[in-house]
Amino acid sequence: MPSGEAAMSPAGALPRRRAVAFIILLGVISLFADMTYEGARSITGPYLGLLGLTGTTIGIVSGVGELVGYAVRLGSGYLADFSGRYWAVTICGYLLNLLAVPLLALIRTTATSIRRR
């Protein structure tokens, strides 16, 4: 019976070293995603205030944003459980974060149009 790293328990399973490298890679990706998400989340209110929005509008926008975030988490969890495609849902979540944070740069035109009403 072979032993060591070359041995693979079930057919098609990853060797231990590759599995550990994959877990570390996912941890690093999660670290950077959390840094961008939390960093963007912490500056959203002051940024909207800098654009001239009132405190009420900032509160409403922040509250709706949190509601949408929780709804997406609930929906994606249900989708992952229902479909069994956990990795696809996880990767889509990271891609959504990758796209959503840079879109904050486009807020200037939206905030200006809201303020003019």
Side-chain angles (χ1 to χ4, degrees):
M1 187 184 242
S3 64
E5 205 174 295
M8 295 170 31
S9 29
L14 290 175
R16 182 175 176 81
R17 179 174 284 181
R18 286 188 62 197
V20 169
F22 180 71
I23 291 169
I24 290 172
L25 176 67
L26 266 181
V28 170
I29 290 171
S30 180
L31 169 71
F32 285 118
D34 285 347
M35 285 190 321
T36 59
Y37 168 74
E38 294 298 335
R41 184 175 173 196
S42 68
I43 65 166
T44 301
Y47 180 60
L48 292 174
L50 182 69
L51 294 175
L53 296 177
T54 64
T56 304
T57 306
I58 294 170
I60 291 170
V61 168
S62 297
V64 169
E66 288 293 318
L67 176 67
V68 169
Y70 287 125
V72 168
R73 288 181 188 136
L74 180 66
S76 65
Y78 177 77
L79 179 66
D81 285 343
F82 181 74
S83 68
R85 302 189 67 184
Y86 303 104
W87 286 112
V89 173
T90 301
I91 291 169
C92 286
Y94 282 123
L95 289 174
L96 181 64
N97 183 47
L98 179 72
L99 297 173
V101 173
L103 288 177
L104 285 172
L106 301 178
I107 283 181
R108 183 166 199 85
T109 56
T110 306
T112 305
S113 67
I114 291 172
R115 189 177 55 190
R116 288 184 185 162
R117 290 183 188 178

